[in-house]
Coordinates of all heavy atoms in Angstrom, one line a residue:
Chain B
A1443 N 53.1 90.7 101.6 CA 54.5 90.8 101.9 C 55.1 91.7 100.8 O 54.7 91.7 99.6 CB 55.2 89.4 101.8
R1444 N 56.1 92.5 101.2 CA 56.6 93.5 100.2 C 58.2 93.4 100.1 O 58.8 92.6 100.7 CB 56.3 94.9 100.7 CG 54.8 95.0 101.1 CD 54.5 96.4 101.5 NE 54.6 97.4 100.5 CZ 53.9 98.5 100.4 NH1 53.1 98.8 101.4 NH2 54.0 99.4 99.5
G1445 N 58.7 94.2 99.2 CA 60.1 94.3 99.0 C 60.7 92.9 98.6 O 60.2 92.2 97.7
T1446 N 61.8 92.5 99.3 CA 62.5 91.3 98.9 C 61.7 90.1 99.2 O 61.9 89.0 98.8 CB 63.8 91.2 99.7 OG1 63.6 91.4 101.1 CG2 64.8 92.2 99.2
S1447 N 60.6 90.2 100.1 CA 59.8 89.1 100.4 C 58.6 89.0 99.5 O 57.7 88.1 99.7 CB 59.3 89.2 101.9 OG 60.3 89.2 102.8
L1448 N 58.5 89.9 98.5 CA 57.3 89.9 97.7 C 57.1 88.5 97.1 O 58.0 87.9 96.5 CB 57.5 90.9 96.5 CG 56.3 91.1 95.6 CD1 55.4 92.2 96.2 CD2 56.7 91.5 94.2
G1449 N 55.9 88.0 97.3 CA 55.5 86.7 96.8 C 55.9 85.5 97.6 O 55.9 84.4 97.2
R1450 N 56.3 85.8 98.9 CA 56.7 84.7 99.7 C 55.5 83.7 99.9 O 54.4 84.1 100.0 CB 57.3 85.1 101.1 CG 56.2 85.7 102.0 CD 56.8 86.0 103.3 NE 55.8 86.6 104.2 CZ 56.0 87.0 105.4 NH1 57.2 87.0 105.9 NH2 55.0 87.5 106.1
S1451 N 55.8 82.4 99.9 CA 54.8 81.4 99.8 C 55.1 80.2 100.6 O 56.3 79.9 100.9 CB 54.6 80.9 98.4 OG 54.4 82.0 97.5
L1452 N 54.0 79.5 100.9 CA 54.2 78.1 101.4 C 53.8 77.2 100.3 O 52.7 77.3 99.7 CB 53.3 77.8 102.6 CG 53.4 78.7 103.9 CD1 52.4 78.4 104.9 CD2 54.8 78.5 104.4
I1453 N 54.6 76.2 100.0 CA 54.3 75.2 99.0 C 53.8 73.9 99.6 O 54.5 73.4 100.4 CB 55.5 74.9 98.1 CG1 56.3 76.2 97.8 CG2 55.1 74.1 96.9 CD1 55.9 77.0 96.6
L1454 N 52.6 73.5 99.3 CA 52.0 72.3 99.9 C 51.9 71.3 98.9 O 51.2 71.4 97.9 CB 50.6 72.7 100.5 CG 50.5 73.9 101.4 CD1 49.1 74.2 101.7 CD2 51.4 73.8 102.6
E1455 N 52.7 70.2 99.1 CA 52.6 69.0 98.2 C 51.8 67.9 98.8 O 51.8 67.8 100.1 CB 54.0 68.5 97.9 CG 54.8 69.4 97.0 CD 56.2 68.8 96.9 OE1 56.3 67.7 96.3 OE2 57.1 69.4 97.5
G1456 N 51.1 67.1 98.1 CA 50.3 66.0 98.6 C 50.4 64.8 97.8 O 50.5 64.8 96.6
E1457 N 50.3 63.6 98.5 CA 50.2 62.3 97.9 C 49.2 61.5 98.6 O 49.1 61.6 99.8 CB 51.6 61.6 98.0 CG 52.8 62.2 97.4 CD 52.7 62.3 95.8 OE1 51.9 61.5 95.2 OE2 53.4 63.1 95.3
H1458 N 48.4 60.7 97.9 CA 47.5 59.7 98.6 C 48.4 58.8 99.4 O 49.3 58.2 98.9 CB 46.7 58.9 97.6 CG 45.7 59.8 96.9 ND1 44.5 60.1 97.5 CD2 45.6 60.3 95.7 CE1 43.8 60.9 96.7 NE2 44.4 61.0 95.6
A1459 N 48.1 58.7 100.7 CA 48.9 57.8 101.6 C 48.5 56.4 101.4 O 47.3 56.1 101.2 CB 48.7 58.3 103.0
G1460 N 49.5 55.5 101.5 CA 49.2 54.1 101.5 C 48.8 53.5 102.9 O 49.0 54.2 103.9
R1461 N 48.2 52.3 102.9 CA 47.8 51.7 104.1 C 49.0 51.6 105.1 O 48.8 51.8 106.3 CB 47.4 50.2 103.9 CG 46.0 50.1 103.4 CD 45.0 50.2 104.5 NE 43.7 50.6 103.9 CZ 42.6 49.8 104.0 NH1 42.7 48.7 104.6 NH2 41.5 50.1 103.4
D1462 N 50.2 51.3 104.6 CA 51.3 51.0 105.5 C 51.8 52.3 106.1 O 52.7 52.3 107.0 CB 52.5 50.3 104.7 CG 52.8 51.1 103.4 OD1 52.1 52.1 103.1 OD2 53.8 50.7 102.7
E1463 N 51.3 53.5 105.7 CA 51.8 54.7 106.3 C 51.0 55.1 107.5 O 51.3 56.0 108.2 CB 51.7 55.9 105.3 CG 52.6 55.7 104.1 CD 52.4 56.8 103.1 OE1 52.4 57.9 103.5 OE2 52.2 56.4 101.9
L1464 N 49.8 54.4 107.7 CA 48.9 54.8 108.8 C 49.4 54.2 110.2 O 50.0 53.2 110.2 CB 47.5 54.3 108.5 CG 46.9 54.8 107.3 CD1 45.4 54.4 107.2 CD2 47.0 56.3 107.1
E1465 N 49.1 55.0 111.2 CA 49.3 54.5 112.6 C 48.1 53.5 112.8 O 47.1 53.6 112.2 CB 49.1 55.6 113.6 CG 49.9 56.8 113.4 CD 51.3 56.6 114.0 OE1 51.4 55.8 114.9 OE2 52.3 57.2 113.5
P1466 N 48.4 52.5 113.7 CA 47.3 51.5 114.0 C 46.0 52.1 114.4 O 44.9 51.6 114.0 CB 47.9 50.7 115.1 CG 49.3 50.9 115.1 CD 49.6 52.3 114.5
R1467 N 46.0 53.3 115.1 CA 44.7 53.9 115.5 C 44.0 54.7 114.5 O 42.9 55.1 114.6 CB 45.0 54.7 116.8 CG 45.9 55.9 116.5 CD 46.2 56.8 117.6 NE 47.2 57.7 117.2 CZ 47.1 58.7 116.3 NH1 46.0 59.0 115.8 NH2 48.2 59.4 116.0
Q1468 N 44.7 54.9 113.3 CA 44.1 55.7 112.3 C 43.1 54.9 111.4 O 43.6 53.9 110.8 CB 45.1 56.4 111.4 CG 45.8 57.6 112.1 CD 46.9 58.2 111.3 OE1 47.8 57.5 110.8 NE2 47.0 59.5 111.2
V1469 N 41.9 55.3 111.3 CA 40.9 54.6 110.4 C 41.4 54.9 109.0 O 41.8 56.0 108.7 CB 39.5 55.1 110.6 CG1 39.0 54.6 112.0 CG2 39.3 56.6 110.5
P1470 N 41.3 53.9 108.1 CA 41.8 54.1 106.7 C 41.0 55.2 106.0 O 41.6 55.9 105.2 CB 41.6 52.7 106.1 CG 41.0 51.8 107.1 CD 40.9 52.5 108.4
F1471 N 39.7 55.3 106.3 CA 38.9 56.3 105.5 C 38.2 57.2 106.5 O 37.0 56.9 106.8 CB 37.9 55.6 104.6 CG 38.6 54.7 103.5 CD1 38.6 53.3 103.6 CD2 39.3 55.3 102.5 CE1 39.3 52.6 102.7 CE2 39.9 54.6 101.5 CZ 40.0 53.2 101.6
P1472 N 38.8 58.3 106.9 CA 38.2 59.2 107.8 C 36.9 59.8 107.2 O 37.0 60.2 106.0 CB 39.3 60.3 108.1 CG 40.2 60.2 106.9 CD 40.1 58.8 106.5
P1473 N 35.8 59.9 108.0 CA 34.6 60.5 107.4 C 34.8 62.0 107.2 O 35.6 62.7 107.9 CB 33.6 60.2 108.5 CG 34.3 60.1 109.7 CD 35.7 59.5 109.4
A1474 N 34.0 62.6 106.3 CA 34.0 64.1 106.1 C 33.5 64.8 107.4 O 32.6 64.3 108.0 CB 33.1 64.5 104.9
R1475 N 34.1 65.9 107.7 CA 33.6 66.7 108.8 C 32.3 67.3 108.4 O 32.2 67.7 107.2 CB 34.5 67.9 109.2 CG 35.9 67.5 109.7 CD 36.8 68.7 109.4 NE 36.8 69.0 107.9 CZ 37.3 70.0 107.4 NH1 37.8 71.0 108.1 NH2 37.2 70.2 106.1
T1476 N 31.4 67.4 109.3 CA 30.2 68.2 108.9 C 30.3 69.6 109.5 O 30.8 69.7 110.6 CB 28.9 67.5 109.5 OG1 29.2 67.1 110.8 CG2 28.5 66.3 108.7
G1477 N 30.0 70.6 108.7 CA 30.2 72.0 109.1 C 29.6 72.3 110.4 O 28.4 72.4 110.6
R1478 N 30.5 72.4 111.4 CA 30.0 72.8 112.8 C 29.9 74.3 112.9 O 29.1 74.8 113.7 CB 30.8 72.1 113.8 CG 30.3 70.8 114.4 CD 31.3 70.2 115.3 NE 32.6 70.1 114.6 CZ 33.8 70.3 115.2 NH1 33.8 70.6 116.5 NH2 34.9 70.2 114.6
F1479 N 30.9 74.9 112.3 CA 31.0 76.4 112.4 C 30.3 77.0 111.2 O 30.3 76.4 110.1 CB 32.4 76.8 112.5 CG 33.2 76.1 113.6 CD1 34.0 75.1 113.3 CD2 32.9 76.3 114.9 CE1 34.7 74.4 114.3 CE2 33.5 75.6 115.9 CZ 34.5 74.6 115.6
G1480 N 29.8 78.2 111.4 CA 29.3 78.9 110.2 C 29.4 80.4 110.5 O 29.6 80.8 111.6
V1481 N 29.2 81.1 109.4 CA 29.2 82.6 109.6 C 27.7 83.0 109.5 O 27.1 82.9 108.4 CB 30.0 83.3 108.5 CG1 30.0 84.8 108.7 CG2 31.5 82.8 108.5
P1482 N 27.1 83.3 110.6 CA 25.6 83.5 110.7 C 25.1 84.8 110.0 O 24.0 84.9 109.7 CB 25.3 83.4 112.1 CG 26.5 83.9 112.8 CD 27.7 83.5 112.0
F1483 N 26.0 85.8 109.9 CA 25.5 87.0 109.3 C 26.7 87.7 108.6 O 27.9 87.3 108.8 CB 24.9 87.9 110.3 CG 25.7 88.1 111.5 CD1 26.8 89.0 111.5 CD2 25.5 87.4 112.7 CE1 27.6 89.1 112.6 CE2 26.3 87.5 113.8 CZ 27.4 88.4 113.8
D1484 N 26.4 88.7 107.8 CA 27.5 89.5 107.2 C 28.4 90.2 108.2 O 27.9 90.9 109.1 CB 26.8 90.6 106.3 CG 26.2 90.0 105.1 OD1 26.9 89.2 104.5 OD2 25.1 90.5 104.7

Side-chain angles (χ1 to χ4, degrees):
Chain B
R1444 311 179 69 154
T1446 52
S1447 298
L1448 188 84
R1450 69 175 181 184
S1451 309
L1452 300 176
I1453 316 272
L1454 311 173
E1455 289 174 68
E1457 299 291 341
H1458 288 284
R1461 279 283 161 115
D1462 52 358
E1463 296 175 51
L1464 302 188
E1465 307 278 336
R1467 62 178 168 76
Q1468 282 173 318
V1469 291
F1471 297 106
R1475 293 155 308 166
T1476 42
R1478 263 173 307 144
F1479 307 105
V1481 180
F1483 49 79
D1484 286 317

